[in-house]
Amino acid sequence: MPVPDDPTRPLEPNPEALRQLIDACAAFVLEHVESLPAQPSFDVDGAAEVAASFREDVPETGHRIGSILGRLRPAVSKTFTTAGPGYLAFIPGGGIVAAGLADFIACAVNRFVGVAAASPALAQIEATVVGWLSSLMGYPAGASGILTSGGSISNLTAVATARIAKLPEDFLSGTLYFSEETHLSLVKAARIAGFSERNLRWIPVDERFRLIPERLEDAIRADRSRGLRPFFVVANVGTTNTGAVDPIPDILEIAGRHDLWVHADAAYGGFFRLVPGGEKLMPGVERCDSITLDPHKGLFLPYGTGCLLVQDPEALRRAHQGAAGYLQDVAAELGQVNFTDISPELSRDFRGLRVWLPIQLHGLNAFREQLQEKLALTQWASRELQEDPLFHVLDEPQLSIVAFTAAPRQGDPDAIGAEILRRVNARKRVFLSSTTLRGRYVLRICVLSFRTHHDRVKDAVTGLKEEARRVEA
Ligand SMILES: Cc1ncc(COP(=O)(O)O)c(C=O)c1O
């Protein structure tokens, strides 16, 4: 093929063209962030048509950035406004903009952090971030961990690591113990790690939705007497439905007697340990063998930022390390960690910067204050709903979730609850979600975004009270 004399290289824009691209994207982001408080809490009217407009052939020639961003604008707006202050559904995150800047830098410099030799200081930044998270959870200095894409992958890594640490190669006699409120991702994790439903045990919860330790011990004993090998138990640190925190010290004690790996699923709740006195919210988490944390929840970072912490670095290494001739030039030196040796990934994005840069920029205290505010707002919302005869709050909030049912004077509380939720959401100031608990339709308020403050939680509570009365009328 002839080499052209005057090649144009659109993939390598000159500095001026690059600046224009960056400016256009920066303007797009600024406009979006500025408008967030005024955006509806969700807007999916016409979203199917917008989605359909993206079913397209691959373009052979490029388009202008203006027209590309013009197409993205409706794609972004026809959504649940997950980054907005009114998002109180499921488990909110937020998406601190500084993390987006970190991603911009990380993608643009595109250095390889999977092995430390390729970019020692950048790998160290990520290792430092893991070290910070580890010490915030009360882990000792020698603990290890890995940034993942989210809680589900962290939970999967925990199950795979524990399986190799605790079970023989022929592992199908292993049994895993979850409370009835354990997150679905752990079921998926067990399945992907080679276990079937036969290996799972669902332990009942008490009236506050916390695992009942005696029932755990009964189940473990029953399995052992049948020749099975109990090896893994989950301690929930903030269940998705109600934010319940399991009795970790009791679980640790039982697990210690029967040699089980204790995994804390703190994907949602773990970062509340940062508030003053936060260790009392989850006593014992620092003694669990592993902890799942989701910085894209409790540290308000963008989706795609999870973490698994492990007390014993060797366990993580045994589950993942291997040798390959083509990696012989980049073996880790003493004092370095090769992330590829402790995770399933080789090439990976530089997630560390997305955590490190915002913490450097804002300081940890800013995060602590936000988390403290979320707890206070939740207590306020819970009190307001408890004082209202048209609602029944299921439990005092253990973290930042209020779970409640409608308590109408007449009619079906479940159907009325669903109607109240529909009407409150239709106001588009806040967005709430529901769940099913003990066969009942349950509404939830989950306060977790750094953009959510008293005005918005008040809107939620006022909306609920007003709509409950309208539905009654
Ligand atoms: C308790 C708990 N564990 C695990 C997960 C899964 O995390 P991710 O969505 O980051 O995969 C969630 C998600 O909400 C969760 O609430």
Side-chain angles (χ1 to χ4, degrees), residues 81-98:
T81 311
T82 42
Y87 193 72
L88 307 172
F90 307 103
I91 307 282
I96 281 175
V97 179

Side-chain angles (χ1 to χ4, degrees), residues 113-415:
V113 295
V115 292
S119 37
L122 301 183
Q124 182 58 55
I125 286 177
E126 190 152 325
T128 296
V129 161
V130 172
W132 288 347
L133 300 184
S134 173
S135 75
L136 290 172
M137 296 310 290
Y139 262 12
S144 178
I146 184 81
L147 294 186
T148 67
S149 60
S152 301
I153 301 300
S154 306
N155 284 340
L156 171 59
T157 305
V159 173
T161 302
R163 193 197 85 195
I164 287 166
K166 294 286 187 192
L167 295 178
E169 228 170 82
D170 182 2
F171 58 77
L172 280 181
S173 58
T175 44
L176 304 90
Y177 301 81
F178 303 157
S179 95
E180 288 168 343
E181 291 296 310
T182 292
H183 193 266
L184 175 65
S185 58
L186 275 146
V187 180
K188 291 203 243 174
R191 194 185 302 150
I192 299 168
F195 299 98
S196 73
E197 291 290 332
R198 272 203 322 272
N199 304 78
L200 308 187
R201 302 290 178 269
W202 294 99
I203 309 302
V205 293
D206 65 14
E207 72 294 345
R208 302 196 69 195
F209 304 99
R210 301 169 304 188
L211 177 143
I212 302 174
E214 297 74 29
R215 303 294 291 271
L216 171 65
E217 176 124 45
D218 291 347
I220 293 173
R221 283 188 191 285
D223 284 331
R224 287 182 64 153
S225 70
R226 290 163 54 209
L228 298 172
R229 301 178 78 127
F231 82 101
F232 185 86
V233 56
V234 174
N236 297 296
V237 182
T239 58
T240 314
N241 276 334
T242 66
V245 179
D246 286 337
I248 310 171
D250 294 342
I251 295 174
L252 282 163
E253 207 259 314
I254 295 165
R257 261 187 282 119
H258 298 284
D259 191 28
L260 271 72
W261 179 288
V262 182
H263 173 63
D265 182 0
Y268 153 60
F271 284 110
F272 286 109
R273 199 174 190 276
L274 271 65
V275 306
E279 56 295 339
K280 294 199 204 81
L281 295 169
M282 51 197 84
V285 71
E286 68 286 350
R287 289 189 285 129
C288 294
D289 294 288
S290 52
I291 306 175
T292 282
L293 281 178
D294 255 352
H296 66 201
K297 295 185 172 73
L299 277 190
F300 325 119
L301 297 180
Y303 296 123
T305 325
C307 179
L308 177 73
L309 300 173
V310 178
Q311 288 262 10
D312 174 12
E314 277 316 303
L316 209 47
R317 199 176 297 282
R318 272 197 303 277
H320 296 96
Q321 196 167 24
Y326 45 80
L327 292 177
Q328 65 192 11
D329 303 331
V330 289
E333 288 176 14
L334 211 61
Q336 288 180 327
V337 57
N338 273 354
F339 297 129
T340 191
D341 292 340
I342 57 169
S343 84
E345 294 172 308
L346 177 54
S347 302
R348 62 207 291 284
D349 56 334
F350 178 22
R351 291 172 201 132
L353 198 64
R354 193 188 302 161
V355 189
W356 184 84
L357 191 144
I359 295 179
Q360 289 289 348
L361 193 64
H362 303 305
L364 196 60
N365 215 24
F367 294 82
R368 294 186 199 277
E369 282 170 6
Q370 281 301 317
L371 288 160
Q372 177 95 53
E373 185 195 13
K374 304 308 99 126
L375 293 176
L377 290 172
T378 311
Q379 292 289 344
W380 179 83
S382 173
R383 273 196 309 277
E384 286 287 318
L385 292 172
Q386 282 178 46
E387 283 164 13
D388 189 319
L390 294 186
F391 292 102
H392 169 67
V393 174
L394 268 55
D395 184 26
E396 284 298 329
Q398 294 176 48
L399 295 172
S400 73
I401 297 174
V402 192
F404 54 101
T405 59
R409 279 178 278 259
Q410 55 194 21
D412 172 13
D414 290 358

